[in-house]
Amino acid sequence: AEQFVPNIVVLGITRELGPVLAGLMLAGRVSAGIAAEIGAMRVTEQIDALLTLSAKPERYLYAPRVLAATLMLPLLVLVADTIGVMGGYLVGVNSLDFNGALYLKNTWAFVTSNDVWSGVIKAGFFGAIIAIMGCYQGDRSKGGAGGVGRAATLAVVGAAVLILASNYILTAIFTRIGL
């Protein structure tokens, strides 16, 4: 167990759990926030005002949010991976009485850069999905505050479903190409 638990922990965290859990947490917070913000702008006709002034909402409202989420979620996943692996270390050493030095040695010997990169690449896709769903649902909202609330809910649900579906697809692609 002392040899295989670190391997399973680091592989599971870096390839799957880190990106998916961070993506789902961000979907619940950021996608709803983006949808609510853009939805409020839509129902109060601020986006129509931008169009009247020949300003493109895609450039000023949507693109910065998509870019920010796409760039920041991979960094968040690297932090989540570190915390997850060190959490596994703490449980292994303190609860299972593993040798700490051996645990770290087995972890570093097993993890590859491909494991980390596959999670980081997935996180970039998940960040884009989160922001795009928030922007899309927010832009489609209508009917006042109730419509904005529905848009926020739909953004979270849509982002969560797309994260899980795209995780499956990306894992299949990465497995096929050897990443």
Side-chain angles (χ1 to χ4, degrees):
E2 209 165 355
Q3 180 181 359
F4 295 113
V5 168
N7 302 349
I8 294 168
V9 168
V10 74
L11 187 66
I13 297 266
T14 57
R15 281 189 169 262
E16 298 297 330
L17 289 176
V20 171
L21 292 179
L24 290 175
M25 287 189 313
L26 210 66
R29 176 83 177 159
V30 173
S31 190
I34 290 173
E37 186 178 17
I38 290 178
M41 295 173 92
R42 172 60 70 194
V43 299
T44 58
E45 299 176 351
Q46 294 176 38
I47 294 177
D48 295 333
L50 283 173
L51 291 170
T52 302
L53 295 171
S54 297
K56 296 179 180 178
E58 297 85 12
R59 182 175 179 192
Y60 293 106
L61 296 177
Y62 310 146
R65 287 166 175 81
V66 172
L67 183 64
T70 303
L71 294 177
M72 288 296 105
L73 187 56
L75 295 177
L76 182 64
V77 164
L78 289 174
V79 172
D81 288 350
T82 303
I83 291 171
V85 169
M86 293 315 295
Y89 169 81
L90 290 175
V91 168
V93 170
N94 293 329
S95 297
L96 303 174
D97 294 325
F98 288 172
N99 180 333
L102 186 59
Y103 189 98
L104 291 175
K105 179 182 173 225
N106 287 337
T107 298
W108 286 114
F110 188 74
V111 70
T112 65
S113 62
N114 285 348
D115 297 331
V116 176
W117 277 112
S118 69
V120 169
I121 292 168
K122 283 181 183 182
F125 279 99
F126 298 164
I129 288 168
I130 290 164
I132 289 169
M133 283 304 295
C135 291
Y136 175 75
Q137 293 297 341
D139 193 51
R140 292 186 58 221
S141 67
K142 54 187 162 203
V148 173
R150 279 190 297 281
T153 301
L154 289 172
V156 172
V157 171
V161 168
L162 287 174
I163 285 170
L164 295 174
S166 64
N167 182 56
Y168 174 77
I169 293 167
L170 289 170
T171 299
I173 291 169
F174 291 160
T175 302
R176 182 167 294 196
I177 64 172
L179 183 66

